Amino acid sequence: MRGVVFDGKQVQVVDDLAVREPGPGEVLVAISAAGLCHSDLSVVDGTIPFPVPVVLGHEGAGVVQAVGAGVSHVVPGDHVALSTLANCGTCPECDRGRPTMCRQAIGRPGRPFSRGDRPVHQFACNSAFAERTVVKAVQAVRIPKDIPFSSAALIGCGVLTGVGAVLNRARVDRGDTVVVIGTGGIGLNVLQGARLAGALRIVAVDANPAKEAVARQFGATDFLTSAKGVRELLPTGADHVFECVGRVELIRQAVDLLDRHGQAVLLGVPRASAEASFVVSSMFLDKAILGCRYGSSRPQRDIPLYAELYRQGRLLLDELVTETYPVEDFEKARADAEAGRVARGVLTF
């Protein structure tokens, strides 16, 4: 079968990939569409260290082909969106509703794929850039069959992370002020999360002026090409600032833009060794810097919620898909994503 494999030096679309059958508590999914996220590109450029060879992709949707023993919440033929959280469901963190903190879901890459006699790693417990993949049952979330796969695929990462950061981690409230630095796929979902939460002023900041129209479509009330103008709009600062790029100088800007009791939420992913600085005395007015993993999401709850909001016309998904590419055109999709020409490119199988 076809898949996108990174061997540590180059990315190739191969046709000799194999995946094993699902074991107990697992699901085999035929992928129909998969979003190309910057996290996939970060594996290739070394920002996110990961063992190789690896099948890339972690934002996918498709059709259940087979289920292992003990799986009852999905059956063959169901349409599903995939999450990256292979959480155990039984530890204290899972029990308290914090599956993103489950230690079984972090740093345990499996190798369900193979090329000939050589095993191949799975990225983010998912590997959606393959015609078929095996995931833990908890990662497969049933969705209505009337949602296009190209749109449903984006729920599993971009929407869970961006909207979830607003609703679950920052807990933006009605009337709050929000600044979003970076309006790529994650930033756009932060914008629409802030809109759904009832934020009063939502300021999008992006160096590319061509992104203004789509930022406003997703919920921005104001658009700036530099954070220097934020104080003119919000003289005392913002209640919430979301950094969605992953650059340390922008993290510093996020902290500096906070109002009293404000919080900076870090969503962009810099290199693992990156360090950021801030003026310590500026934090003593109840300000906070919050890390956020995967939107502090609960996928089995949140994915159906977002799917229904989409069906009601309240959550934008189709508008996120700038272009679709056959998997064979991965290099074009990659180039468009790296150049910022697309909000989200989607690979199709």
Side-chain angles (χ1 to χ4, degrees):
M1 68 177 185
R2 293 170 298 167
V4 180
V5 176
F6 176 55
D7 65 6
K9 296 181 179 179
Q10 63 178 345
V11 182
Q12 290 182 297
V13 179
V14 304
D15 59 9
D16 60 349
L17 193 65
V19 66
R20 62 172 173 77
E21 291 298 310
E26 293 181 333
V27 177
L28 177 67
V29 178
I31 299 295
S32 296
L36 176 56
C37 175
H38 275 279
S39 294
D40 300 305
L41 303 180
S42 293
V43 174
V44 177
D45 68 22
T47 301
I48 298 178
F50 206 87
V52 293
V54 57
V55 179
L56 298 174
H58 65 285
E59 190 180 65
V63 180
V64 174
Q65 282 200 326
V67 300
V71 178
S72 59
H73 74 292
V74 292
V75 298
D78 280 347
H79 289 197
V80 293
L82 301 183
S83 86
T84 66
L85 280 182
N87 58 295
C88 70
T90 59
C91 70
E93 296 294 353
C94 287
D95 195 48
R96 67 192 294 190
R98 296 177 55 180
T100 57
M101 295 295 103
C102 174
R103 285 173 169 79
Q104 297 296 319
I106 302 175
R108 296 173 180 266
R111 295 193 291 181
F113 299 99
S114 61
R115 295 184 67 192
D117 58 357
R118 186 179 183 187
V120 180
H121 286 92
Q122 184 174 43
F123 178 54
C125 303
N126 189 306
S127 288
F129 293 170
E131 289 188 87
R132 295 184 300 280
T133 190
V134 169
V135 297
K136 289 185 66 172
V138 71
Q139 297 176 251
V141 184
R142 188 169 59 245
I143 57 173
K145 292 186 176 181
D146 58 356
I147 300 180
F149 284 120
S150 59
S151 296
L154 306 187
I155 300 177
C157 177
V159 176
L160 282 178
T161 300
V163 178
V166 174
L167 303 182
N168 301 329
R169 185 65 169 129
R171 298 186 181 275
V172 172
D173 201 359
R174 297 178 302 275
D176 284 355
T177 55
V178 172
V179 174
V180 181
I181 300 175
T183 59
I186 298 299
L188 290 176
N189 279 297
V190 174
L191 289 172
Q192 70 171 332
R195 170 176 52 80
L196 288 167
L200 182 63
R201 200 87 183 254
I202 306 171
V203 183
V205 180
D206 198 293
N208 184 355
K211 293 186 176 182
E212 179 173 1
V214 69
R216 290 186 180 276
Q217 181 181 20
F218 274 75
T221 60
D222 303 271
F223 183 90
L224 299 170
T225 55
S226 169
K228 295 178 180 178
V230 171
R231 288 286 181 176
E232 296 180 15
L233 300 174
L234 304 172
T236 63
D239 296 314
H240 313 273
V241 182
F242 296 83
E243 200 284 333
C244 305
V245 181
R247 289 167 47 187
V248 294
E249 66 271 23
L250 298 181
I251 292 172
R252 173 59 184 267
Q253 287 184 3
V255 174
D256 290 345
L257 290 173
L258 295 177
D259 196 357
R260 298 183 179 192
H261 67 74
Q263 49 189 18
V265 184
L266 310 186
L267 295 177
V269 182
R271 290 188 176 273
S273 60
E275 297 183 0
S277 64
F278 58 90
V279 178
V280 176
S281 62
S282 71
M283 302 299 294
F284 292 135
L285 293 173
D286 286 0
K287 299 180 184 181
I289 301 173
L290 304 180
C292 182
R293 180 170 191 258
Y294 204 43
S296 301
S297 297
R298 292 166 289 174
Q300 287 289 343
R301 172 190 181 275
D302 292 346
I303 289 177
L305 169 63
Y306 298 151
E308 187 56 35
L309 287 171
Y310 164 79
R311 297 175 83 198
Q312 293 180 14
R314 297 164 63 189
L315 183 88
L316 305 181
L317 291 179
D318 301 341
E319 296 80 359
L320 280 167
V321 183
T322 310
E323 189 168 347
T324 58
Y325 309 81
V327 67
E328 290 80 8
D329 289 344
F330 173 80
E331 282 303 325
K332 183 178 187 304
R334 175 185 173 186
D336 287 348
E338 290 178 332
R341 289 188 288 266
V342 293
R344 217 34 150 220
V346 175
L347 300 179
T348 58
F349 289 86

